[in-house]
Amino acid sequence: MTRAGSSNRPGTQARHSSRLRPDPGPAQRRGTRAHLGLIDFDAAELYVGEQLQRVGHQLLRRGVKTETSEAPLRLPGCCVTALKIRKRQQDADRARAGQARIETGLAFTTRHGTPIEPRNFNRSFSRCIAAAKVPTIAVHGTRKTCGSLLAAPDVHPRVAMQILRHNKIAVTMEI
C-alpha cells in the first residue's frame, strides 16, 4: 500500500511555501511527513494521510482506512480561498504564540497549535448553526450539504464525486 506523501504526490519537496502546514524539519520529515494532511495551493489539491480519533481519554493520530482515502482531493476555488484565509489565521496565531506554540502539522488547530477536541468542535459547530439561523444539522450531515453546495457553482460531478469519496457517480448525482 502506498502511503499519502510518497509517489502519488508530485513535487512535494519543491513547494513548501504553498503548503498550509509548516515544514516539520529534518528530524520529523521522514516519519511524519507521509502521514500529515497537506494542501497544495498551486495545484488546488488536498492530501489526507491521517485522521484524529478519540480512544478512551486520548486523541490519537491514525492512518486513514483505505488507499482510496489517501488519493489527492481536487479543491474548488472557494475551498482554496477558505484554506488560504485559514493559513493566514494560523500564521497570525503562530506569530502571537512564538515558541509556546506546539507544531502538530495540522491545518485546523487551536490558537496554540494543539488539536481541536471533538467535543469543543461540536459545541462550536452548534454555536455557528445558531448564529447563522439555519436549521440544525448534525456534523455528519454537512457531507450531504457539501454535495449540494458543490452542485450550485457547477462543479463537475466527477470532481464532486472525488471530494465526497463516492465509489459511483450515481450516488453523487442523487444529491
Side-chain angles (χ1 to χ4, degrees), residues 114-127:
T114 57
I116 298 171
E117 286 285 335
R119 288 184 195 144
N120 291 343
F121 175 82
N122 288 335
R123 283 192 286 269
S124 178
F125 182 78
S126 295
R127 282 193 303 272

Side-chain angles (χ1 to χ4, degrees), residues 5-91:
S6 58
S7 61
N8 66 338
R9 284 197 212 170
T12 56
Q13 299 298 321
R15 291 190 303 249
H16 292 299
S17 62
S18 65
R19 302 286 190 241
L20 182 56
R21 68 175 202 81
D23 186 5
Q28 294 179 336
R29 188 174 294 126
R30 185 171 173 89
T32 61
R33 182 176 197 83
H35 303 288
L36 298 175
L38 295 174
I39 298 162
D40 185 336
F41 290 112
D42 298 331
E45 290 182 333
L46 169 70
Y47 302 88
V48 178
E50 238 179 36
Q51 58 185 328
L52 195 61
Q53 291 182 338
R54 174 159 299 286
V55 178
H57 297 288
Q58 289 185 315
L59 280 178
L60 300 177
R61 293 170 80 159
R62 295 187 168 174
V64 291
K65 293 179 184 176
T66 66
E67 190 169 334
T68 305
S69 298
E70 296 174 344
L73 281 174
R74 289 182 18 208
L75 298 172
C78 60
C79 294
V80 172
T81 300
L83 289 166
K84 284 180 179 179
I85 291 168
R86 176 61 193 139
K87 182 181 182 330
R88 286 194 299 271
Q89 291 169 339
Q90 196 172 45
D91 289 345

Side-chain angles (χ1 to χ4, degrees), residues 101-123:
R101 183 171 172 89
I102 298 168
E103 292 299 342
T104 59
L106 299 171
F108 296 93
T109 62
T110 67
R111 64 179 173 244
H112 304 291
T114 57
I116 298 171
E117 286 285 335
R119 288 184 195 144
N120 291 343
F121 175 82
N122 288 335
R123 283 192 286 269

Side-chain angles (χ1 to χ4, degrees), residues 76-79 145-157 160 163:
C78 60
C79 294
T145 301
C146 174
S148 299
L149 292 172
L150 289 171
D154 296 325
V155 171
H156 193 280
I163 290 171

